[in-house]
Amino acid sequence: MKKRITQFVVDGCKQALFLFLMLCYTLGHAQNVKVTGKVIDANGGSLVGVSVKVKGSQVGTLSNLEGNFSINVPNQSAVLVFSFLGMKPKEVVVDGRNIINVTLDEDASSLDAVMVVGYGTQLKRDVTGSISSIKEKTLREVPVTNISQMIEGRIPGAYVTTGANKPGTTPSIRIRGNRSFSAGNDPLYVVDGIPVNDAITDFNPSDVVSIEVLKDASATAIYGSRGANGVILVTTARGRTGQTDVRYNAYYGITDVVRRAEIFNGEEFVKFVRDSYAALAPPVTDELVLFKDPIERESVALGRYTDWQDLIIKKGHTQNHELGISSGTDKTKINLSLGYFDDEGYLIGQNYRRYTARINVDQNLGKRIKLGMSLLGSYSEIDGANYNPYAGALISSPLGQPYDSDGKFMVYPINDPAMPNPLLATQKDKFINLEKRTRVLGSLFAEAEILTGLKYRINFGPDIRSTRGGSFNSTSVSVGVTPTASTAEAYWFSYALDNQLTYDKVFKNKHKLNVTALYGIQQRINESSNISVRDLPVETTTYHNLGSAGTIVGVGSGYTRWNILSYMGRVNYAFDGRYSITLTGRADGSSRFAPGNKWSFFPSAGFAYNISEEKFLKGVSYLSNLKLRLGYGSVGQEAVTPYQTLAQLVRTAYDFDGVSAFGFAPSNVPNKDLKWETSTTANVAVDFGFFNQRISGSIDVYQTKTTDLLLPAPLPTSTGFGSVTTNIGSTRNRGIDISLSTQNIVSKSGFQWSTDITAGINKGEILELALGKVDDVGAGRFIGKPLNVYFDYEKIGIWQTGEQAQATLFGSKVGQIRVKDQDGDGKVTTADRTIIGSPDPRLTFGFNNNFSFKGFDLAVFVVGVQNKTISSPLYDGQNTVAFGGRYNHLKLDYWTPTNPTNAYPQPIAGQGPASVLYRGTMKYFDGSFVRIRNINLGYTLPKMAVSKIGAKSLRVYFNVTNPFVFSSYVRNHNGIDPEILDNPATINYQLGLNVNF
């Protein structure tokens, strides 16, 4: 019995052991899953050598030449970790899949990140020039209407001025200050390798995936004469290898006016009129004189007043829609996008609509030949392009009425021919001001790898653009005249043709050599025509039948053409990841100059030393990057009007013995000695990073000297001409660019907080002018001062009661503006004018904070400007500050015997703006400000939730633009806005959606 029991136990243990082993074997083989896939970058390119590891184990592999990988994972819940130099690591849960395709995003802070440098790319560690980059994630943080707005506050040294909030307005950009007076200071845009001359608003910003800004000569010299004011490289989205992606981005916004000009309300206007007549000698108090029109007197008696601003301001609406498709195989990649943008302005009659279509295609023909195309089609319309009703609303009397008692529109709200109804231009079919723009921009290239490392590329970029503007004023709008109409058309055709040879080779894993040679041609043709007429017999034809007009007021046409021929060579050499040298030389020949001066050569050199790669710093754990950059070089400027080296004629009228006749006379003084304006820049910089790039940034110190300025030199009036364009004088810009990025919090809970700070300090000054180191007072140019200054008398108060004798000596009287006697000679002369300030700021900065937690993200973007003076057009001595009692007026603290203020002068009935002595001194204000430009709050839905609708990702967001501004001009002087000086200040609320399928 005992033996049987023992045998039973032994047999049971054997069976249990066998079952256990079989179970382990079955589970092991059942969970050992083979996973394959492909790893690509954001542009769809295959990534070779990507590390693919099973998290928490030693199991791993590398992607092959096509980016493909294969790996066995222990179970379905395994996590794969993908890592690659210059890319952000990514973790992916297997989750039962056998095929996993992964896209790695570039890590902009990594030294191995790829940067576009013009005619090629470089690793960030090898770059020697001053280049700032904005990547796609940052570009997508804020919905914008044009590419220029993407740069504001994000590039140190780049100053973006909005200037207006009118639909379709293009901001102005200055990179490291102004250098030139006449040759222009706008940077060059290069979109997908093609130089773009203007009209950057034609592009859909949703197509852009990266922006690089080249700032010093070491970086810009490769573009020669086109890069004198900096270069903005724009890269648009291209197709990706893998499954098809469909994206839809949209937002809808409301524009609301938050601040407008403070003018007198009805009661204040009545007091203003009475005070102005009380200033006469003798004072006038008769109401029939003060308020001549019965409508005015009735309004005063009834307390009935009209707020004209309310009548022309409404809520604006914006909407944007973009549909994109991206797909690709190893041989063919395609990206297609369609865009629609509509901005219905907050002022009646101002709107902007834009339609865009873009297709980018890349095709591999075998292993050595690649073809590609980028094609943009754009059409836009601007209503009210040259029309602004706001000024009329500010000066119209609040005592007038827009409609009579029968509801009929009143052309004159009061009986004043100089004050028509500001709503005239809003009457349907009575006023038209419309501009239509059409553009086709292409980039076609073919690239062949002749030998390993040696490539030839030809790039052709045609740019065709046309505009057509039409305007019409009916009889009821143009008071006192018959219907008028006009049209203006312009056509531009330009192209760039580049032949590029590149040799790229790495020797012994330490020596990296890149040689680029370029031969390029650029041409631009502009044709224009215009006609204006009056006495149209039928108003319904508006500007579409000008031949029927009784009178032709004017006809004109024009044609210009210029060409640039270029040769360029660049050598990049890097050794052991520590030392980099860039040598560039470019020769440009321009048709704008006369023979003998057409050509100029622009060399540059750059050096970089990655100090942190030295062995003696390898043990410093907190130091992740320390790099020194030095750059020096020259670039040219030829942006003068074509044909200035040629003698030109203009038609003029003559009197031959009482008989009128037309003839021709010289219109300019030709200068065949004109040559290139040249800017030479020295740049010293340090790039740094600490704690594995948790803290990173750069500091650039630069100096740019511009010589042979293209300036009009004054001529004696006896010559019949005021000036002649010549090469005279020089300017200098000195400054510091600072950028700092920090990852403040990266917690295990998923909460992240990062900060990006940029700052640019610039001091521009004139070194020499036409007469050497002598001021040109007439032109407002002064040695040692900024290129642009305000030169005027300095207001110090108002002459007060008891100061009549002193005021008389100064040619003024009590109650009027008192200016400073700068030279102390007891009188005011032109010698008492002084420099009030400059419109060019000394400091610009941006401050961006990003927060994210479990699908939520918040971005708060702040911009600021310091040490800037503004000249407000509302205070510029026009009717809004006429102090004459006729027009409505800015609400100002004006002087009266019972209100002896030192702010603004006494109103005097009947005077116009020109009668206000030293009226221009009232318009200058401190233009410094700090503005919260954007607050963007978004939420990305979980993948499980969006997968139910077949989507890969879905993000909704709410954005507020311009919610707050901190400015002494607004706070202390009732200013509208330190950037938007003569239109209402607005705030924009936008609700948006980003979804990928």
Side-chain angles (χ1 to χ4, degrees):
M1 184 69 179
K2 183 177 181 181
K3 184 176 181 180
R4 284 184 176 182
I5 294 175
T6 303
Q7 184 65 39
F8 177 78
V9 173
V10 171
D11 290 343
C13 290
K14 287 181 179 180
Q15 292 178 8
L17 179 61
F18 175 77
L19 291 173
F20 177 75
L21 292 175
M22 286 297 294
L23 179 62
C24 291
Y25 176 83
T26 302
L27 291 174
H29 281 71
Q31 297 298 312
N32 192 10
V33 181
K34 183 179 180 180
V35 177
T36 61
K38 186 169 187 175
V39 189
I40 60 174
D41 61 19
N43 295 318
S46 302
L47 292 177
V48 183
V50 175
S51 172
V52 186
K53 287 186 176 182
V54 177
K55 188 174 183 180
S57 75
Q58 298 300 316
V59 178
T61 186
L62 298 175
S63 61
N64 62 18
L65 292 175
E66 286 75 37
N68 297 320
F69 70 92
S70 176
I71 189 172
N72 291 323
V73 300
N75 51 64
Q76 299 286 1
S77 59
V79 177
L80 294 180
V81 180
F82 297 82
S83 58
F84 188 70
L85 284 174
M87 299 290 181
K88 293 181 179 178
K90 179 174 286 189
E91 295 186 1
V92 179
V93 181
V94 174
D95 195 22
R97 293 175 292 174
N98 297 107
I99 299 176
I100 297 177
N101 295 319
V102 175
T103 300
L104 295 184
D105 297 320
E106 184 179 341
D107 186 355
S109 65
S110 170
L111 295 179
D112 294 294
V114 177
M115 297 185 69
V116 179
V117 295
Y119 300 108
T121 60
Q122 277 186 286
L123 293 181
K124 191 173 182 179
R125 69 168 66 247
D126 296 333
V127 171
T128 63
S130 181
I131 304 177
S132 296
S133 180
I134 312 175
K135 296 306 179 184
E136 185 173 11
K137 182 180 181 298
T138 305
L139 296 174
R140 296 290 173 264
E141 287 177 354
V142 177
V144 296
T145 60
N146 60 70
I147 293 175
S148 303
Q149 293 171 328
M150 291 177 157
I151 298 172
E152 183 186 21
R154 304 186 188 276
I155 299 295
Y159 174 44
V160 181
T161 52
T162 304
N165 50 12
K166 186 177 178 180
T169 301
T170 303
S172 170
I173 297 181
R174 294 291 180 266
I175 297 176
R176 292 184 168 181
N178 293 300
R179 303 166 180 79
S180 178
F181 290 106
S182 303
N185 291 284
D186 294 325
L188 170 69
Y189 285 89
V190 178
V191 181
D192 290 333
I194 301 301
V196 176
N197 296 290
D198 42 31
I200 201 68
T201 53
D202 292 336
F203 296 85
N204 182 359
S206 297
D207 291 332
V208 180
V209 295
S210 74
I211 293 177
E212 273 80 20
V213 179
L214 316 184
K215 296 184 289 186
D216 73 335
S218 174
T220 63
I222 195 170
Y223 289 100
S225 63
R226 311 296 300 279
N229 301 314
V231 180
I232 299 174
L233 305 178
V234 178
T235 304
T236 61
R238 309 197 76 83
R240 303 179 181 182
T241 302
Q243 65 188 60
T244 300
D245 290 326
V246 179
R247 63 187 181 276
Y248 174 66
N249 302 318
Y251 65 80
Y252 178 80
I254 295 176
T255 302
D256 206 1
V257 171
V258 291
R259 285 186 307 279
R260 58 186 192 176
E262 280 203 60
I263 55 177
F264 293 133
N265 62 28
E267 294 178 351
E268 293 165 339
F269 177 74
V270 170
K271 180 179 183 303
F272 172 69
V273 172
R274 288 170 174 161
D275 285 341
S276 66
Y277 276 92
L280 297 176
V284 176
T285 57
D286 187 347
E287 296 283 298
L288 294 177
V289 176
L290 272 63
F291 307 106
K292 301 177 178 61
D293 193 284
I295 293 179
E296 292 182 281
R297 295 194 292 272
E298 182 181 358
S299 294
V300 173
L302 297 176
R304 178 192 63 191
Y305 308 117
T306 300
D307 188 330
W308 295 101
Q309 291 192 76
D310 273 351
L311 297 180
I312 66 167
I313 292 176
K314 60 184 181 63
K315 285 189 181 297
H317 302 274
T318 59
Q319 59 175 316
N320 183 76
H321 302 273
E322 187 232 345
L323 178 65
I325 302 174
S326 178
S327 183
T329 65
D330 290 340
K331 291 185 177 181
T332 306
K333 301 179 184 67
I334 184 170
N335 186 84
L336 172 67
S337 70
L338 302 173
Y340 169 69
F341 175 75
D342 180 33
D343 186 355
E344 183 183 327
Y346 61 88
L347 291 178
I348 295 176
Q350 293 186 350
N351 304 289
Y352 174 63
R353 293 166 296 279
R354 179 182 64 207
Y355 307 83
T356 59
R358 172 175 286 280
I359 181 170
N360 291 353
V361 180
D362 295 282
Q363 177 68 48
N364 292 332
L365 301 180
K367 295 184 178 181
R368 291 184 177 270
I369 299 178
K370 182 179 181 180
L371 306 177
M373 175 187 73
S374 297
L375 187 64
L376 166 74
S378 176
Y379 173 77
S380 59
E381 293 181 351
I382 304 178
D383 290 320
N386 302 298
Y387 154 71
N388 189 347
Y390 192 59
L394 296 183
I395 66 173
S396 292
S397 171
L399 305 181
Q401 294 295 302
Y403 305 94
D404 63 16
S405 56
D406 297 325
K408 183 180 179 180
F409 185 83
M410 297 182 66
V411 176
Y412 293 110
I414 60 174
N415 189 24
D416 189 335
M419 206 181 301
N421 194 323
L423 300 180
L424 276 171
T426 68
Q427 300 303 295
K428 187 177 181 180
D429 301 326
K430 300 298 184 181
F431 176 87
I432 298 175
N433 185 248
L434 178 65
E435 181 178 296
K436 301 177 181 179
R437 300 177 182 173
T438 305
R439 187 171 199 167
V440 177
L441 174 69
S443 175
L444 312 173
F445 75 87
E447 183 178 280
E449 188 173 12
I450 303 171
L451 300 171
T452 302
L454 180 63
K455 293 181 180 180
Y456 168 73
R457 181 185 178 102
I458 183 171
N459 203 41
F460 176 64
D463 187 0
I464 303 171
R465 184 165 67 93
S466 66
T467 64
R468 184 174 189 269
S471 64
F472 168 74
N473 293 340
S474 75
T475 304
S476 62
V477 174
S478 300
V479 180
V481 300
T482 54
T484 63
S486 65
T487 62
E489 297 185 4
Y491 166 81
W492 292 265
F493 172 70
S494 60
Y495 73 87
L497 177 63
D498 292 331
N499 292 271
Q500 182 180 342
L501 197 63
T502 303
Y503 180 70
D504 199 344
K505 191 72 173 178
V506 177
F507 302 94
K508 298 182 180 180
N509 294 323
K510 284 192 175 184
H511 304 272
K512 187 186 300 182
L513 179 65
N514 179 280
V515 181
T516 302
L518 177 80
Y519 166 70
I521 303 172
Q522 298 175 51
Q523 183 182 88
R524 190 186 197 198
I525 297 173
N526 174 220
E527 302 176 32
S528 62
S529 63
N530 62 82
I531 181 172
S532 58
V533 302
R534 67 169 182 260
D535 303 329
L536 288 167
V538 180
E539 291 191 6
T540 55
T541 62
T542 63
Y543 60 81
H544 296 296
N545 188 11
L546 300 185
S548 66
T551 304
I552 296 177
V553 178
V555 176
S557 62
Y559 174 89
T560 59
R561 185 182 75 179
W562 54 259
N563 305 275
I564 296 177
L565 180 63
S566 305
Y567 300 91
M568 185 275 293
R570 178 179 64 192
V571 177
N572 291 319
Y573 171 73
F575 173 70
D576 198 25
R578 291 182 291 166
Y579 307 100
S580 301
I581 297 175
T582 300
L583 301 175
T584 305
R586 176 159 175 153
D588 282 329
S590 173
S591 64
R592 304 191 192 203
F593 298 112
N597 290 313
K598 291 184 180 292
W599 286 90
S600 190
F601 179 70
F602 307 106
S604 74
F607 171 76
Y609 176 27
N610 288 301
I611 306 173
S612 55
E613 294 297 309
E614 293 289 357
K615 293 181 179 180
F616 62 84
L617 287 176
K618 289 295 185 181
V620 183
S621 59
Y622 60 83
L623 181 65
S624 52
N625 178 34
L626 183 60
K627 178 181 177 181
L628 172 67
R629 289 184 284 111
L630 305 174
Y632 185 83
S634 299
V635 289
Q637 177 80 289
E638 46 83 49
V640 293
T641 305
Y643 316 127
Q644 288 201 28
T645 60
L646 303 176
Q648 302 174 58
L649 298 176
V650 63
R651 193 175 78 160
T652 185
Y654 290 91
D655 184 342
F656 288 96
D657 195 21
V659 179
S660 60
F662 290 106
F664 292 89
S667 63
N668 71 312
V669 178
N671 183 1
K672 296 186 178 297
D673 294 325
L674 274 184
K675 60 182 180 180
W676 294 81
E677 187 176 285
T678 303
S679 295
T680 302
T681 300
N683 195 94
V684 180
V686 174
D687 301 333
F688 56 86
F690 302 99
F691 308 109
N692 196 28
Q693 296 298 93
R694 288 284 296 270
I695 301 174
S696 63
S698 64
I699 301 174
D700 285 66
V701 180
Y702 63 87
Q703 174 178 292
T704 300
K705 184 177 181 181
T706 303
T707 56
D708 295 324
L709 294 173
L710 291 163
L711 264 177
L715 293 174
T717 55
S718 58
T719 64
F721 299 94
S723 62
V724 56
T725 301
T726 187
N727 296 99
I728 52 176
S730 61
T731 63
R732 181 174 61 198
N733 276 272
R734 292 173 171 173
I736 302 174
D737 292 344
I738 302 171
S739 66
L740 178 66
S741 297
T742 61
Q743 298 178 43
N744 306 313
I745 298 177
V746 182
S747 68
K748 294 181 179 180
S749 65
F751 178 72
Q752 296 186 23
W753 170 30
S754 63
T755 302
D756 297 298
I757 301 173
T758 64
I761 302 171
N762 179 271
K763 179 186 179 182
E765 57 183 331
I766 301 172
L767 300 180
E768 289 185 277
L769 291 167
L771 300 178
K773 295 184 180 298
V774 179
D775 296 339
D776 185 349
V777 178
R781 296 168 181 160
F782 303 91
I783 304 300
K785 301 299 180 181
L787 280 68
N788 303 302
V789 297
Y790 296 124
F791 183 64
D792 207 337
Y793 298 98
E794 181 183 356
K795 175 177 172 290
I796 58 174
I798 303 296
W799 291 107
Q800 300 296 327
T801 303
E803 298 178 333
Q804 180 59 54
Q806 190 179 4
T808 302
L809 292 176
F810 281 81
S812 188
K813 60 182 180 180
V814 171
Q816 298 305 302
I817 295 173
R818 180 177 184 175
V819 298
K820 186 175 182 179
D821 179 15
Q822 301 286 349
D823 58 11
D825 63 354
K827 56 185 177 180
V828 176
T829 65
T830 56
D832 291 310
R833 291 179 297 169
T834 187
I835 295 176
I836 304 298
S838 172
D840 303 326
R842 183 68 64 88
L843 168 66
T844 60
F845 61 88
F847 182 66
N848 193 32
N849 276 288
N850 287 279
F851 307 87
S852 63
F853 180 69
K854 293 185 177 180
F856 289 95
D857 60 88
L858 173 66
V860 181
F861 185 36
V862 179
V863 297
V865 163
Q866 297 295 312
N867 289 14
K868 174 185 178 178
T869 300
I870 58 176
S871 173
S872 174
L874 293 181
Y875 291 80
D876 197 14
Q878 301 305 312
N879 290 325
T880 48
V881 286
F883 293 99
R886 179 179 184 181
Y887 302 98
N888 203 355
H889 204 277
L890 292 182
K891 186 178 179 179
L892 302 176
D893 181 21
Y894 58 84
W895 189 95
T896 66
T898 58
N899 181 45
T901 178
N902 266 303
Y904 293 95
Q906 180 182 25
I908 302 175
Q911 72 176 356
S915 300
V916 182
L917 193 61
Y918 307 120
R919 64 187 183 276
T921 61
M922 297 184 289
K923 63 183 179 181
Y924 304 111
F925 301 92
D926 179 10
S928 302
F929 68 87
V930 175
R931 181 191 299 278
I932 298 180
R933 180 67 77 192
N934 276 94
I935 301 176
N936 188 289
L937 176 63
Y939 177 66
T940 302
L941 275 68
K943 290 187 177 181
M944 290 292 291
V946 299
S947 64
K948 294 179 180 179
I949 61 171
K952 297 176 183 177
S953 65
L954 190 152
R955 177 179 180 264
V956 293
Y957 64 86
F958 178 70
N959 186 80
V960 184
T961 303
N962 295 325
F964 304 105
V965 63
F966 307 95
S967 161
S968 64
Y969 174 61
V970 174
R971 182 177 60 253
N972 300 331
H973 303 285
N974 294 327
I976 299 176
D977 192 279
E979 292 182 289
I980 313 299
L981 298 176
D982 56 355
N983 266 349
T986 58
I987 184 172
N988 305 87
Y989 305 96
Q990 296 155 334
L991 184 64
L993 169 71
N994 306 124
V995 58
N996 291 331
F997 296 94

